[in-house]
Amino acid sequence: MITKPKGCYDVIDKESLKLKKINRYIDYYCEFYNYDFIRTPIFEARELFHRTVGDDTDIVTKETYDFQDRSNRELTLRPEGTAGVVRSFIENKMYGNNLPRKLYYNGTMYRYERPGNGRNREFTQFGVEILGSNDVAVDVEVISFAYRLFEELGFKDLNVHINNLGSKEDRESYKKALKEYLKPYINDLCEDCKKRYETNPLRILDCKVDKDSEILKKVPNILEYQSEESKKRFQKVLEYLEYLDVDYEVDSKLVRGLDYYDYTVFEIVSSEEVLGSASTIAAGGRYNDLVEKLGGPSTPCMGFACGIERIMLALDKIEIQEKRPLDCYILYVNEEEKIKAITLAQDLRCSGVSVDYDTTGRSLKSQFKEADRNHAQLLVLLNSEDLQKGLISVKDNLTKEEVKIDENEIIDYIVSNG
Ligand code: ATP
Ligand code: MG
């Protein structure tokens, strides 16, 4: 037997109901907040992720699925969504007018990680990006949008962890201070962090190995190395969050695992026990330099991404609506009745009625059972004798009342009684 690849999974049965519910909420919410849906390719030029996510991030150095196609193009399965959206924004010249551009995506991502609770190799991210505004109202809208959406989905104890990475200059002066502080401890850091010390010291704060060490607990505070302007901007973000009743906690060690962030960064953490170490359900921030870095005009942006699998895990305890009952099930025996079943099903479906009928040669008795299994409300009982008189029997599956309806009025009857 051929089995699914490691770190991948099938969505079936109850899980697929859950996924549909989540996707419905996402589409509904995004319309309310005026986001347009965007779909970008699942694979892109490898270069794109090196330039955006960053050469010395875990994602790019350890987790990408890289391959060459038959013409030796260097391609990568996307490990995240922002790079593709920004590439598309530039390639389609969306920067030309109608800014800010508000986009959302929802699709599979690929990372070669050790699979575990809430951690897969193929996983799904939903995310939004607002391109073309540096207003703090945008930072706050993105954060509160995520927060409200998760609340609406049924999450109870959510917390926003937020930090300010400041401008490039702010980060340069912080990096200096951080390196100065870490210098005597270099040999006590993990192998990756020893490299990060030279290439990207900020990344050390995000290290999963050294995270709880005494050394990292006492690092200088990034918020103290920022210009008055950066500090004021961050204060305003926090003030606006308070207006919107979003619970937050400033975490000066939050830097995020991707290179492109500046100013506001945040994570939304859930205390649902099932999530364990996968408690971060969404993460994002500002990336004001990325569009320019990829060859577009200077465009300030803000966005977030969330892991749909983690939402599904946490939603285990939350009540999911059962499968919607079928409005109508059509029963038939012979060929003449079957043709009527097929055409009637199509007409009813076009009129907004959910309908099904047997396609496996079941006996009439098991067609009744099948109708019950689908919780069908009305049964259409086709029989040749009635059909010759232009009549069709309809039975209410609950009251068991049966009526004969003129063939020409059957659609109207079912639409108003279904
Ligand atoms: P983590 O610290 O858990 O590895 P990350 O910093 O790598 O997360 P991001 O790249 O910011 O995560 O992705 C945003 C969200 O996508 C995460 O908060 C999480 O919900 C989800 N996510 C990331 N990697 C995976 C994965 N391998 N499997 C399932 N969900 C994931
Ligand atoms: Mg990760």
Side-chain angles (χ1 to χ4, degrees):
M1 190 181 72
I2 300 170
T3 56
K4 58 189 181 312
K6 185 173 175 187
C8 298
Y9 66 101
D10 303 309
V11 183
I12 53 171
D13 301 333
K14 209 171 163 217
E15 291 299 294
S16 82
L17 291 176
K18 252 200 255 174
L19 182 61
K20 278 173 66 174
K21 177 179 171 176
I22 294 167
N23 285 337
R24 269 201 303 274
Y25 267 92
I26 288 172
D27 289 332
Y28 176 79
Y29 247 69
C30 284
E31 249 170 56
F32 263 91
Y33 281 75
N34 200 23
Y35 289 100
D36 297 328
F37 179 68
I38 179 170
R39 204 192 82 169
T40 61
I42 285 176
F43 57 84
E44 298 264 7
R46 188 174 311 166
E47 175 71 10
L48 178 67
F49 301 111
H50 283 265
R51 294 241 301 261
T52 53
V53 178
D55 273 330
D56 45 53
T57 55
D58 277 359
I59 296 178
V60 162
T61 53
K62 299 183 196 153
E63 299 173 1
T64 52
Y65 279 87
D66 299 320
F67 65 100
Q68 278 186 341
D69 71 5
R70 290 169 198 271
S71 306
N72 298 328
R73 292 184 188 90
E74 302 283 343
L75 299 167
T76 295
L77 293 185
R78 62 183 181 195
E80 57 96 56
T82 303
V85 170
V86 171
R87 197 251 328 118
S88 170
F89 178 80
I90 299 169
E91 199 168 338
N92 294 297
K93 298 193 173 53
M94 289 186 223
Y95 46 78
N97 46 25
N98 304 331
L99 293 180
R101 193 67 204 251
K102 298 173 73 171
L103 300 170
Y104 79 102
Y105 60 86
N106 186 355
T108 50
M109 307 292 159
Y110 301 83
R111 296 186 193 176
Y112 194 81
E113 295 201 68
R114 185 199 295 256
N117 193 38
R119 196 170 293 283
N120 310 288
R121 290 185 174 173
E122 180 183 72
F123 62 102
T124 315
Q125 275 186 348
F126 150 68
V128 307
E129 314 289 356
I130 301 186
L131 305 106
S133 169
N134 194 28
D135 198 318
V136 293
V138 164
D139 301 38
V140 174
E141 183 188 295
V142 167
I143 298 170
S144 63
F145 167 83
Y147 189 83
R148 295 285 167 241
L149 173 69
F150 299 140
E151 259 190 352
E152 198 70 24
L153 278 167
F155 280 94
K156 300 246 154 40
D157 300 309
L158 291 171
N159 209 321
V160 174
H161 293 185
I162 188 167
N163 194 19
N164 184 27
L165 297 181
S167 66
K168 211 185 271 167
E169 293 75 36
D170 294 337
R171 285 197 302 284
E172 282 313 313
S173 67
Y174 178 64
K175 271 184 207 167
K176 235 187 245 161
L178 183 63
K179 281 180 86 166
E180 197 67 28
Y181 164 80
L182 288 172
K183 209 170 185 175
Y185 308 114
I186 295 180
N187 288 330
D188 303 323
L189 297 174
C190 78
E191 287 311 308
D192 282 339
C193 281
K194 281 181 192 142
K195 277 186 227 137
R196 290 177 185 131
Y197 183 85
E198 294 304 334
T199 55
N200 193 343
L202 222 61
R203 187 88 316 117
I204 296 175
L205 302 187
D206 199 39
C207 176
K208 301 232 160 61
V209 182
D210 289 331
K211 193 174 58 151
D212 298 319
S213 71
E214 283 304 313
I215 307 169
L216 288 202
K217 276 188 190 146
K218 295 189 189 127
V219 292
N221 185 336
I222 194 168
L223 296 169
E224 287 165 13
Y225 292 80
Q226 294 170 349
S227 69
E228 281 312 305
E229 207 185 328
S230 290
K231 282 184 187 163
K232 261 197 211 140
R233 189 181 193 286
F234 189 48
Q235 277 318 310
K236 205 159 196 181
V237 170
L238 300 183
E239 186 189 325
Y240 279 27
L241 282 178
E242 276 159 36
Y243 290 142
L244 293 178
D245 283 331
V246 173
D247 288 328
Y248 68 81
E249 203 175 285
V250 174
D251 174 358
S252 64
K253 293 203 189 84
L254 182 70
V255 293
R256 309 283 312 109
L258 305 94
D259 264 359
Y260 48 63
Y261 289 114
D262 53 16
Y263 297 99
T264 309
V265 287
F266 74 100
E267 290 188 347
I268 298 186
V269 180
S270 156
S271 51
E272 293 286 348
E273 259 171 48
V274 284
L275 289 170
S277 65
S279 60
T280 304
I281 48 174
R286 241 189 201 284
Y287 49 98
N288 285 354
D289 288 334
L290 186 59
V291 175
E292 208 173 356
K293 203 170 156 192
L294 289 178
S298 169
T299 309
C301 307
M302 169 91 190
F304 84 90
C306 76
I308 299 283
E309 288 73 13
R310 296 193 185 173
I311 299 177
M312 286 169 75
L313 250 181
L315 279 180
D316 245 352
K317 281 193 268 155
I318 288 149
E319 205 176 303
I320 298 292
Q321 254 179 351
E322 283 304 313
K323 192 169 169 228
R324 185 173 175 261
L326 210 53
D327 294 327
C328 180
Y329 197 85
I330 305 175
L331 299 87
Y332 66 93
V333 179
N334 62 32
E335 180 66 15
E336 183 195 358
E337 294 159 11
K338 182 177 183 179
I339 292 165
K340 186 69 195 169
I342 295 170
T343 52
L344 184 58
Q346 170 165 290
D347 292 345
L348 283 169
R349 286 165 178 162
C350 289
S351 307
V353 178
S354 61
V355 188
D356 220 342
Y357 55 87
D358 177 52
T359 52
T360 62
R362 280 189 176 86
S363 69
L364 199 56
K365 195 174 158 200
S366 33
Q367 288 182 45
F368 275 107
K369 275 197 195 145
E370 194 58 13
D372 286 345
R373 201 181 63 79
N374 282 286
H375 307 291
Q377 290 171 335
L378 292 178
L379 307 179
V380 173
L381 308 164
L382 296 175
N383 91 48
S384 300
E385 251 173 64
D386 281 349
L387 282 177
Q388 270 148 31
K389 289 184 222 147
L391 294 174
I392 292 178
S393 288
V394 180
K395 186 172 177 177
D396 185 313
N397 205 17
L398 198 68
T399 63
K400 306 294 175 199
E401 248 173 78
E402 193 175 325
V403 284
K404 283 196 202 299
I405 309 290
D406 188 311
E407 207 181 330
N408 298 317
E409 283 156 25
I410 188 78
I411 304 275
D412 284 347
Y413 179 85
I414 292 176
V415 167
S416 45
N417 289 277

